[in-house]
Amino acid sequence: MKQFRIILFLLTIAWSSNVMSQTVYSTKTGEKYHTENCRYLKYSKKAIDLNKAKALGYAACKVCKPTMENIKISESEPSSIAPEDNRKIPTKKTTSSQCTGKTKAGKRCKRQTKNTSGRCYQH
């Protein structure tokens, strides 16, 4: 009876380690895997299991250095945003507007800019 409990305990541990997986991220065209907040995932991000990424031949990113300690452990589906990470992500201005700077003659600059400050590269 005691051996049965030990075997049952070991099977439970083995099953739970399969349920818990290390989630890493890759880009659509990349050959490396990253942590969730790596700068290279700015434009595309695809969640993938760490073991699967290694099996597919992905290498670890040298910038974010994804290790077992800094990779989020998740159950089957990764969450997109952690509750403590509710910061607003700054977005780039997509439409251009006339520069708000003044020329030497005192007139308004005629250049267009997408800069959030409203000024072109010369002002």
Side-chain angles (χ1 to χ4, degrees), residues 36-89:
E36 185 176 13
N37 54 357
C38 182
R39 68 180 180 197
Y40 288 116
L41 299 175
K42 186 175 181 180
Y43 299 108
S44 69
K45 180 173 19 177
K46 178 177 70 169
I48 189 170
D49 182 53
L50 176 62
N51 295 330
K52 187 175 181 181
K54 287 181 179 179
L56 291 172
Y58 287 109
C61 174
K62 292 183 180 180
V63 173
C64 64
K65 300 178 179 88
T67 61
M68 297 298 248
E69 291 79 31
N70 66 5
I71 297 172
K72 186 172 87 174
I73 297 176
S74 66
E75 296 181 24
S76 63
E77 285 295 316
S79 64
S80 59
I81 297 178
E84 63 271 5
D85 193 19
N86 290 334
R87 292 175 270 141
K88 286 189 175 183
I89 299 170

Side-chain angles (χ1 to χ4, degrees), residues 90-101:
T91 57
K92 287 188 175 181
K93 189 175 176 183
T94 56
T95 58
S96 60
S97 59
Q98 187 177 357
C99 175
T100 57

Side-chain angles (χ1 to χ4, degrees), residues 10-39:
L10 291 175
L11 287 174
T12 305
I13 290 174
W15 179 77
S16 65
S17 67
N18 286 336
V19 172
M20 302 293 277
S21 62
Q22 302 287 335
T23 303
V24 292
Y25 298 86
S26 67
T27 60
K28 292 177 184 176
T29 58
E31 297 175 357
K32 300 195 183 281
Y33 61 89
H34 310 267
T35 58
E36 185 176 13
N37 54 357
C38 182
R39 68 180 180 197

